């Protein structure tokens, strides 16, 4: 897949407000936050979209979700709750083609989304 801005963030070629990191996952604040807390969790090894994920990616995808949950718990959001979102391609609203989980917290979310 082609390089995206998120791979540049992983390589520290452009700055980001990194709030979570382990060997395979990076979490950093979204540039355009949609909630008081809006963090993006990405695998350091890029996958373009959820649709591009294959069975061999299952463990990595699981780690992505568990990283978001661990961060939310560490920040104390688990009691009130939070939202996790993966946008996929055009109709999903995806703009950066390096898979990412949005973690939104700190306010009441509504359903259905727009
Ligand atoms: P999506 O629409 O699901 O592809 O979300 C992409 C998000 O990435 C969007 O909410 C804005 C954020 N974003 C785009 N470029 C940058 C950047 O350079 N730095 C950071 N921190 N966030 C970015």
């Amino acid at each position: 897949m082609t390089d995206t801005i998120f791979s540049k963030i992983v390589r520290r070629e452009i700055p980001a407000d990194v709030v979570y990191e382990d060997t395979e996952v990076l979490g950093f604040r979204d540039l355009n936050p949609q909630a008081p807390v809006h963090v993006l969790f990405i695998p350091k090894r890029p996958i373009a979209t959820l649709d591009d994920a294959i069975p061999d990616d299952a463990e990595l995808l699981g780690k992505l979700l568990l990283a978001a949950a661990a961060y939310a718990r560490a920040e104390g959001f688990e009691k009130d709750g939070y939202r996790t979102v993966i946008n996929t391609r055009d109709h999903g609203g995806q703009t950066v083609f390096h898979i990412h989980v949005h973690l939104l917290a700190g306010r009441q979310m509504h359903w259905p989304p727009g």
Side-chain angles (χ1 to χ4, degrees):
M1 63 172 271
T2 53
D3 213 24
T4 70
I5 196 120
F6 287 179
S7 287
K8 292 183 172 59
I9 289 174
V10 170
R11 296 194 298 267
R12 305 305 208 265
E13 290 170 8
I14 64 165
D17 188 356
V18 172
V19 296
Y20 177 93
E21 182 164 20
D22 62 36
T23 54
E24 293 172 276
V25 175
L26 194 70
F28 54 90
R29 293 190 194 281
D30 195 293
L31 209 55
N32 184 23
Q34 303 301 313
V37 175
H38 187 170
V39 175
L40 304 173
F41 290 85
I42 68 170
K44 293 181 178 177
R45 172 171 68 77
I47 299 167
T49 80
L50 183 59
D51 181 61
D52 294 294
I54 60 173
D56 279 354
D57 296 324
E59 190 176 345
L60 184 57
L61 293 177
K63 287 178 177 176
L64 208 54
L65 288 172
L66 289 173
Y71 174 78
R73 206 175 305 116
E75 294 295 310
F77 301 130
E78 83 287 1
K79 183 167 174 287
D80 285 342
Y82 52 86
R83 180 167 291 176
T84 45
V85 176
I86 299 175
N87 297 325
T88 301
R89 297 197 179 127
D90 189 22
H91 281 191
Q94 185 175 8
T95 58
V96 180
F97 288 83
H98 180 142
I99 196 169
H100 46 283
V101 174
H102 294 257
L103 170 71
L104 300 144
R107 68 165 170 81
Q108 179 64 55
M109 306 294 156
H110 300 284
W111 194 262

mmCIF file of all heavy atoms in Angstrom, residues 39-78:
data_model
loop_
_atom_site.group_PDB
_atom_site.id
_atom_site.type_symbol
_atom_site.label_atom_id
_atom_site.label_comp_id
_atom_site.label_asym_id
_atom_site.label_seq_id
_atom_site.Cartn_x
_atom_site.Cartn_y
_atom_site.Cartn_z
ATOM 1 N N VAL A 39 -8.886 10.020 20.201
ATOM 2 C CA VAL A 39 -7.573 9.403 19.975
ATOM 3 C C VAL A 39 -7.711 8.380 18.854
ATOM 4 O O VAL A 39 -8.718 7.659 18.761
ATOM 5 C CB VAL A 39 -7.054 8.729 21.276
ATOM 6 C CG1 VAL A 39 -5.751 7.973 21.026
ATOM 7 C CG2 VAL A 39 -6.857 9.781 22.374
ATOM 8 N N LEU A 40 -6.703 8.325 17.994
ATOM 9 C CA LEU A 40 -6.654 7.345 16.906
ATOM 10 C C LEU A 40 -5.666 6.254 17.267
ATOM 11 O O LEU A 40 -4.528 6.554 17.661
ATOM 12 C CB LEU A 40 -6.207 8.025 15.605
ATOM 13 C CG LEU A 40 -7.044 9.216 15.149
ATOM 14 C CD1 LEU A 40 -6.387 9.890 13.946
ATOM 15 C CD2 LEU A 40 -8.470 8.786 14.816
ATOM 16 N N PHE A 41 -6.096 5.006 17.141
ATOM 17 C CA PHE A 41 -5.219 3.857 17.380
ATOM 18 C C PHE A 41 -4.929 3.201 16.045
ATOM 19 O O PHE A 41 -5.860 2.829 15.319
ATOM 20 C CB PHE A 41 -5.884 2.867 18.346
ATOM 21 C CG PHE A 41 -5.959 3.414 19.735
ATOM 22 C CD1 PHE A 41 -7.021 4.237 20.102
ATOM 23 C CD2 PHE A 41 -4.961 3.163 20.655
ATOM 24 C CE1 PHE A 41 -7.081 4.783 21.374
ATOM 25 C CE2 PHE A 41 -5.009 3.710 21.923
ATOM 26 C CZ PHE A 41 -6.071 4.524 22.284
ATOM 27 N N ILE A 42 -3.647 3.096 15.730
ATOM 28 C CA ILE A 42 -3.255 2.524 14.437
ATOM 29 C C ILE A 42 -2.240 1.406 14.660
ATOM 30 O O ILE A 42 -1.445 1.447 15.594
ATOM 31 C CB ILE A 42 -2.653 3.596 13.493
ATOM 32 C CG1 ILE A 42 -1.294 4.101 14.000
ATOM 33 C CG2 ILE A 42 -3.610 4.773 13.322
ATOM 34 C CD1 ILE A 42 -0.550 4.973 13.000
ATOM 35 N N PRO A 43 -2.257 0.403 13.758
ATOM 36 C CA PRO A 43 -1.176 -0.578 13.805
ATOM 37 C C PRO A 43 0.058 0.045 13.175
ATOM 38 O O PRO A 43 -0.044 0.786 12.189
ATOM 39 C CB PRO A 43 -1.710 -1.734 12.946
ATOM 40 C CG PRO A 43 -2.663 -1.091 11.990
ATOM 41 C CD PRO A 43 -3.224 0.130 12.673
ATOM 42 N N LYS A 44 1.238 -0.214 13.745
ATOM 43 C CA LYS A 44 2.457 0.326 13.140
ATOM 44 C C LYS A 44 2.660 -0.275 11.756
ATOM 45 O O LYS A 44 3.159 0.394 10.847
ATOM 46 C CB LYS A 44 3.655 0.059 14.056
ATOM 47 C CG LYS A 44 3.576 0.848 15.354
ATOM 48 C CD LYS A 44 4.781 0.588 16.245
ATOM 49 C CE LYS A 44 4.692 1.433 17.506
ATOM 50 N NZ LYS A 44 5.812 1.163 18.434
ATOM 51 N N ARG A 45 2.267 -1.530 11.592
ATOM 52 C CA ARG A 45 2.296 -2.150 10.261
ATOM 53 C C ARG A 45 0.983 -1.786 9.568
ATOM 54 O O ARG A 45 -0.090 -2.166 10.018
ATOM 55 C CB ARG A 45 2.411 -3.678 10.394
ATOM 56 C CG ARG A 45 2.257 -4.399 9.071
ATOM 57 C CD ARG A 45 2.582 -5.869 9.188
ATOM 58 N NE ARG A 45 1.640 -6.666 9.981
ATOM 59 C CZ ARG A 45 0.447 -7.077 9.557
ATOM 60 N NH1 ARG A 45 -0.002 -6.755 8.364
ATOM 61 N NH2 ARG A 45 -0.315 -7.811 10.347
ATOM 62 N N PRO A 46 1.072 -1.015 8.489
ATOM 63 C CA PRO A 46 -0.170 -0.484 7.913
ATOM 64 C C PRO A 46 -1.016 -1.529 7.190
ATOM 65 O O PRO A 46 -0.509 -2.416 6.518
ATOM 66 C CB PRO A 46 0.327 0.580 6.936
ATOM 67 C CG PRO A 46 1.716 0.189 6.593
ATOM 68 C CD PRO A 46 2.272 -0.513 7.801
ATOM 69 N N ILE A 47 -2.325 -1.367 7.346
ATOM 70 C CA ILE A 47 -3.346 -2.068 6.560
ATOM 71 C C ILE A 47 -4.222 -0.923 6.065
ATOM 72 O O ILE A 47 -4.571 -0.031 6.848
ATOM 73 C CB ILE A 47 -4.173 -3.016 7.450
ATOM 74 C CG1 ILE A 47 -3.285 -4.086 8.100
ATOM 75 C CG2 ILE A 47 -5.308 -3.655 6.645
ATOM 76 C CD1 ILE A 47 -3.969 -4.869 9.223
ATOM 77 N N ALA A 48 -4.556 -0.883 4.773
ATOM 78 C CA ALA A 48 -5.227 0.310 4.230
ATOM 79 C C ALA A 48 -6.628 0.503 4.801
ATOM 80 O O ALA A 48 -6.986 1.609 5.231
ATOM 81 C CB ALA A 48 -5.269 0.229 2.710
ATOM 82 N N THR A 49 -7.438 -0.550 4.760
ATOM 83 C CA THR A 49 -8.822 -0.444 5.229
ATOM 84 C C THR A 49 -9.194 -1.745 5.926
ATOM 85 O O THR A 49 -8.514 -2.771 5.763
ATOM 86 C CB THR A 49 -9.820 -0.229 4.061
ATOM 87 O OG1 THR A 49 -10.095 -1.483 3.433
ATOM 88 C CG2 THR A 49 -9.300 0.759 3.021
ATOM 89 N N LEU A 50 -10.324 -1.729 6.626
ATOM 90 C CA LEU A 50 -10.784 -2.975 7.253
ATOM 91 C C LEU A 50 -11.016 -4.041 6.184
ATOM 92 O O LEU A 50 -10.751 -5.226 6.408
ATOM 93 C CB LEU A 50 -12.068 -2.711 8.053
ATOM 94 C CG LEU A 50 -12.629 -3.905 8.820
ATOM 95 C CD1 LEU A 50 -11.611 -4.457 9.830
ATOM 96 C CD2 LEU A 50 -13.920 -3.514 9.537
ATOM 97 N N ASP A 51 -11.468 -3.599 5.022
ATOM 98 C CA ASP A 51 -11.725 -4.553 3.937
ATOM 99 C C ASP A 51 -10.439 -5.212 3.429
ATOM 100 O O ASP A 51 -10.502 -6.287 2.825
ATOM 101 C CB ASP A 51 -12.430 -3.838 2.778
ATOM 102 C CG ASP A 51 -12.735 -4.791 1.646
ATOM 103 O OD1 ASP A 51 -13.491 -5.755 1.881
ATOM 104 O OD2 ASP A 51 -12.188 -4.602 0.543
ATOM 105 N N ASP A 52 -9.295 -4.586 3.649
ATOM 106 C CA ASP A 52 -8.022 -5.171 3.207
ATOM 107 C C ASP A 52 -7.433 -6.132 4.235
ATOM 108 O O ASP A 52 -6.414 -6.772 3.954
ATOM 109 C CB ASP A 52 -7.013 -4.048 2.911
ATOM 110 C CG ASP A 52 -7.450 -3.209 1.730
ATOM 111 O OD1 ASP A 52 -7.484 -3.754 0.618
ATOM 112 O OD2 ASP A 52 -7.794 -2.026 1.927
ATOM 113 N N ALA A 53 -8.038 -6.207 5.400
ATOM 114 C CA ALA A 53 -7.516 -7.106 6.432
ATOM 115 C C ALA A 53 -7.780 -8.559 6.039
ATOM 116 O O ALA A 53 -8.804 -8.883 5.425
ATOM 117 C CB ALA A 53 -8.179 -6.787 7.770
ATOM 118 N N ILE A 54 -6.823 -9.411 6.371
ATOM 119 C CA ILE A 54 -6.934 -10.837 6.055
ATOM 120 C C ILE A 54 -6.866 -11.624 7.367
ATOM 121 O O ILE A 54 -6.539 -11.064 8.416
ATOM 122 C CB ILE A 54 -5.815 -11.272 5.080
ATOM 123 C CG1 ILE A 54 -4.429 -11.034 5.706
ATOM 124 C CG2 ILE A 54 -5.935 -10.534 3.743
ATOM 125 C CD1 ILE A 54 -3.271 -11.588 4.889
ATOM 126 N N PRO A 55 -7.191 -12.911 7.316
ATOM 127 C CA PRO A 55 -7.189 -13.693 8.560
ATOM 128 C C PRO A 55 -5.881 -13.583 9.347
ATOM 129 O O PRO A 55 -5.911 -13.561 10.591
ATOM 130 C CB PRO A 55 -7.467 -15.121 8.069
ATOM 131 C CG PRO A 55 -8.359 -14.904 6.878
ATOM 132 C CD PRO A 55 -7.798 -13.685 6.192
ATOM 133 N N ASP A 56 -4.751 -13.460 8.661
ATOM 134 C CA ASP A 56 -3.477 -13.326 9.387
ATOM 135 C C ASP A 56 -3.403 -12.027 10.193
ATOM 136 O O ASP A 56 -2.526 -11.877 11.046
ATOM 137 C CB ASP A 56 -2.290 -13.349 8.402
ATOM 138 C CG ASP A 56 -1.917 -14.767 8.007
ATOM 139 O OD1 ASP A 56 -2.491 -15.730 8.568
ATOM 140 O OD2 ASP A 56 -1.049 -14.919 7.129
ATOM 141 N N ASP A 57 -4.279 -11.065 9.897
ATOM 142 C CA ASP A 57 -4.286 -9.784 10.619
ATOM 143 C C ASP A 57 -5.160 -9.835 11.874
ATOM 144 O O ASP A 57 -5.258 -8.831 12.595
ATOM 145 C CB ASP A 57 -4.804 -8.662 9.710
ATOM 146 C CG ASP A 57 -3.910 -8.414 8.506
ATOM 147 O OD1 ASP A 57 -2.674 -8.525 8.655
ATOM 148 O OD2 ASP A 57 -4.453 -8.105 7.420
ATOM 149 N N ALA A 58 -5.799 -10.978 12.118
ATOM 150 C CA ALA A 58 -6.782 -11.036 13.212
ATOM 151 C C ALA A 58 -6.170 -10.633 14.558
ATOM 152 O O ALA A 58 -6.778 -9.867 15.319
ATOM 153 C CB ALA A 58 -7.388 -12.432 13.300
ATOM 154 N N GLU A 59 -4.989 -11.130 14.840
ATOM 155 C CA GLU A 59 -4.377 -10.830 16.135
ATOM 156 C C GLU A 59 -4.068 -9.326 16.253
ATOM 157 O O GLU A 59 -4.321 -8.709 17.288
ATOM 158 C CB GLU A 59 -3.110 -11.663 16.315
ATOM 159 C CG GLU A 59 -2.549 -11.581 17.722
ATOM 160 C CD GLU A 59 -1.345 -12.496 17.935
ATOM 161 O OE1 GLU A 59 -1.120 -13.402 17.098
ATOM 162 O OE2 GLU A 59 -0.635 -12.284 18.920
ATOM 163 N N LEU A 60 -3.557 -8.763 15.171
ATOM 164 C CA LEU A 60 -3.224 -7.336 15.184
ATOM 165 C C LEU A 60 -4.482 -6.484 15.354
ATOM 166 O O LEU A 60 -4.484 -5.505 16.115
ATOM 167 C CB LEU A 60 -2.495 -6.966 13.886
ATOM 168 C CG LEU A 60 -1.988 -5.534 13.760
ATOM 169 C CD1 LEU A 60 -1.049 -5.175 14.911
ATOM 170 C CD2 LEU A 60 -1.283 -5.327 12.412
ATOM 171 N N LEU A 61 -5.552 -6.861 14.666
ATOM 172 C CA LEU A 61 -6.806 -6.106 14.813
ATOM 173 C C LEU A 61 -7.334 -6.207 16.243
ATOM 174 O O LEU A 61 -7.834 -5.220 16.800
ATOM 175 C CB LEU A 61 -7.855 -6.619 13.822
ATOM 176 C CG LEU A 61 -7.551 -6.359 12.345
ATOM 177 C CD1 LEU A 61 -8.624 -6.982 11.474
ATOM 178 C CD2 LEU A 61 -7.438 -4.870 12.059
ATOM 179 N N GLY A 62 -7.202 -7.383 16.825
ATOM 180 C CA GLY A 62 -7.613 -7.549 18.216
ATOM 181 C C GLY A 62 -6.797 -6.666 19.139
ATOM 182 O O GLY A 62 -7.331 -6.026 20.058
ATOM 183 N N LYS A 63 -5.498 -6.605 18.879
ATOM 184 C CA LYS A 63 -4.621 -5.771 19.716
ATOM 185 C C LYS A 63 -4.969 -4.294 19.602
ATOM 186 O O LYS A 63 -4.853 -3.539 20.568
ATOM 187 C CB LYS A 63 -3.156 -6.004 19.333
ATOM 188 C CG LYS A 63 -2.643 -7.350 19.806
ATOM 189 C CD LYS A 63 -1.202 -7.570 19.377
ATOM 190 C CE LYS A 63 -0.686 -8.899 19.932
ATOM 191 N NZ LYS A 63 0.683 -9.197 19.473
ATOM 192 N N LEU A 64 -5.409 -3.891 18.410
ATOM 193 C CA LEU A 64 -5.817 -2.495 18.192
ATOM 194 C C LEU A 64 -7.001 -2.144 19.103
ATOM 195 O O LEU A 64 -7.003 -1.111 19.784
ATOM 196 C CB LEU A 64 -6.199 -2.356 16.722
ATOM 197 C CG LEU A 64 -6.055 -1.031 16.008
ATOM 198 C CD1 LEU A 64 -4.651 -0.478 16.133
ATOM 199 C CD2 LEU A 64 -6.437 -1.214 14.534
ATOM 200 N N LEU A 65 -7.986 -3.015 19.110
ATOM 201 C CA LEU A 65 -9.165 -2.771 19.951
ATOM 202 C C LEU A 65 -8.804 -2.843 21.434
ATOM 203 O O LEU A 65 -9.265 -2.024 22.240
ATOM 204 C CB LEU A 65 -10.262 -3.784 19.623
ATOM 205 C CG LEU A 65 -10.947 -3.579 18.271
ATOM 206 C CD1 LEU A 65 -11.882 -4.742 17.966
ATOM 207 C CD2 LEU A 65 -11.712 -2.264 18.239
ATOM 208 N N LEU A 66 -7.980 -3.801 21.800
ATOM 209 C CA LEU A 66 -7.606 -3.934 23.212
ATOM 210 C C LEU A 66 -6.755 -2.760 23.669
ATOM 211 O O LEU A 66 -6.850 -2.338 24.826
ATOM 212 C CB LEU A 66 -6.879 -5.263 23.440
ATOM 213 C CG LEU A 66 -7.780 -6.499 23.338
ATOM 214 C CD1 LEU A 66 -6.945 -7.774 23.415
ATOM 215 C CD2 LEU A 66 -8.854 -6.497 24.426
ATOM 216 N N ALA A 67 -5.944 -2.200 22.768
ATOM 217 C CA ALA A 67 -5.153 -1.010 23.109
ATOM 218 C C ALA A 67 -6.091 0.157 23.391
ATOM 219 O O ALA A 67 -5.894 0.906 24.363
ATOM 220 C CB ALA A 67 -4.194 -0.670 21.979
ATOM 221 N N ALA A 68 -7.102 0.323 22.551
ATOM 222 C CA ALA A 68 -8.067 1.409 22.773
ATOM 223 C C ALA A 68 -8.783 1.218 24.112
ATOM 224 O O ALA A 68 -8.939 2.180 24.888
ATOM 225 C CB ALA A 68 -9.079 1.454 21.617
ATOM 226 N N ALA A 69 -9.177 0.002 24.404
ATOM 227 C CA ALA A 69 -9.871 -0.269 25.677
ATOM 228 C C ALA A 69 -8.942 -0.049 26.867
ATOM 229 O O ALA A 69 -9.355 0.502 27.900
ATOM 230 C CB ALA A 69 -10.421 -1.701 25.679
ATOM 231 N N ALA A 70 -7.686 -0.459 26.735
ATOM 232 C CA ALA A 70 -6.728 -0.281 27.842
ATOM 233 C C ALA A 70 -6.499 1.197 28.115
ATOM 234 O O ALA A 70 -6.452 1.634 29.276
ATOM 235 C CB ALA A 70 -5.410 -0.978 27.498
ATOM 236 N N TYR A 71 -6.372 1.969 27.027
ATOM 237 C CA TYR A 71 -6.181 3.413 27.195
ATOM 238 C C TYR A 71 -7.418 4.037 27.859
ATOM 239 O O TYR A 71 -7.305 4.841 28.792
ATOM 240 C CB TYR A 71 -5.921 4.074 25.840
ATOM 241 C CG TYR A 71 -5.852 5.575 25.924
ATOM 242 C CD1 TYR A 71 -4.712 6.212 26.405
ATOM 243 C CD2 TYR A 71 -6.949 6.362 25.561
ATOM 244 C CE1 TYR A 71 -4.653 7.586 26.521
ATOM 245 C CE2 TYR A 71 -6.901 7.747 25.674
ATOM 246 C CZ TYR A 71 -5.763 8.355 26.147
ATOM 247 O OH TYR A 71 -5.707 9.715 26.268
ATOM 248 N N ALA A 72 -8.593 3.660 27.374
ATOM 249 C CA ALA A 72 -9.839 4.206 27.936
ATOM 250 C C ALA A 72 -9.943 3.877 29.424
ATOM 251 O O ALA A 72 -10.325 4.730 30.242
ATOM 252 C CB ALA A 72 -11.037 3.651 27.171
ATOM 253 N N ARG A 73 -9.570 2.665 29.780
ATOM 254 C CA ARG A 73 -9.622 2.260 31.194
ATOM 255 C C ARG A 73 -8.599 3.052 32.012
ATOM 256 O O ARG A 73 -8.910 3.533 33.109
ATOM 257 C CB ARG A 73 -9.362 0.756 31.303
ATOM 258 C CG ARG A 73 -9.966 0.107 32.527
ATOM 259 C CD ARG A 73 -9.767 -1.407 32.506
ATOM 260 N NE ARG A 73 -10.281 -2.018 31.293
ATOM 261 C CZ ARG A 73 -9.538 -2.658 30.377
ATOM 262 N NH1 ARG A 73 -8.234 -2.777 30.551
ATOM 263 N NH2 ARG A 73 -10.099 -3.186 29.311
ATOM 264 N N ALA A 74 -7.407 3.196 31.461
ATOM 265 C CA ALA A 74 -6.355 3.932 32.175
ATOM 266 C C ALA A 74 -6.757 5.386 32.413
ATOM 267 O O ALA A 74 -6.375 5.992 33.420
ATOM 268 C CB ALA A 74 -5.045 3.865 31.394
ATOM 269 N N GLU A 75 -7.538 5.941 31.490
ATOM 270 C CA GLU A 75 -7.982 7.335 31.609
ATOM 271 C C GLU A 75 -9.292 7.465 32.372
ATOM 272 O O GLU A 75 -9.798 8.572 32.565
ATOM 273 C CB GLU A 75 -8.139 7.948 30.207
ATOM 274 C CG GLU A 75 -6.815 8.084 29.462
ATOM 275 C CD GLU A 75 -5.864 9.073 30.123
ATOM 276 O OE1 GLU A 75 -6.296 10.199 30.421
ATOM 277 O OE2 GLU A 75 -4.704 8.703 30.362
ATOM 278 N N GLY A 76 -9.890 6.322 32.755
ATOM 279 C CA GLY A 76 -11.107 6.341 33.555
ATOM 280 C C GLY A 76 -12.389 6.535 32.765
ATOM 281 O O GLY A 76 -13.415 6.927 33.320
ATOM 282 N N PHE A 77 -12.378 6.241 31.485
ATOM 283 C CA PHE A 77 -13.577 6.420 30.655
ATOM 284 C C PHE A 77 -14.487 5.199 30.646
ATOM 285 O O PHE A 77 -15.578 5.242 30.080
ATOM 286 C CB PHE A 77 -13.193 6.740 29.204
ATOM 287 C CG PHE A 77 -12.355 7.978 29.060
ATOM 288 C CD1 PHE A 77 -11.192 7.954 28.318
ATOM 289 C CD2 PHE A 77 -12.727 9.154 29.685
ATOM 290 C CE1 PHE A 77 -10.409 9.085 28.196
ATOM 291 C CE2 PHE A 77 -11.948 10.293 29.564
ATOM 292 C CZ PHE A 77 -10.780 10.259 28.822
ATOM 293 N N GLU A 78 -14.041 4.095 31.235
ATOM 294 C CA GLU A 78 -14.802 2.858 31.104
ATOM 295 C C GLU A 78 -16.141 2.920 31.830
ATOM 296 O O GLU A 78 -17.102 2.283 31.426
ATOM 297 C CB GLU A 78 -13.967 1.640 31.548
ATOM 298 C CG GLU A 78 -13.929 1.360 33.042
ATOM 299 C CD GLU A 78 -13.073 2.343 33.830
ATOM 300 O OE1 GLU A 78 -12.498 3.282 33.248
ATOM 301 O OE2 GLU A 78 -12.976 2.167 35.059
#
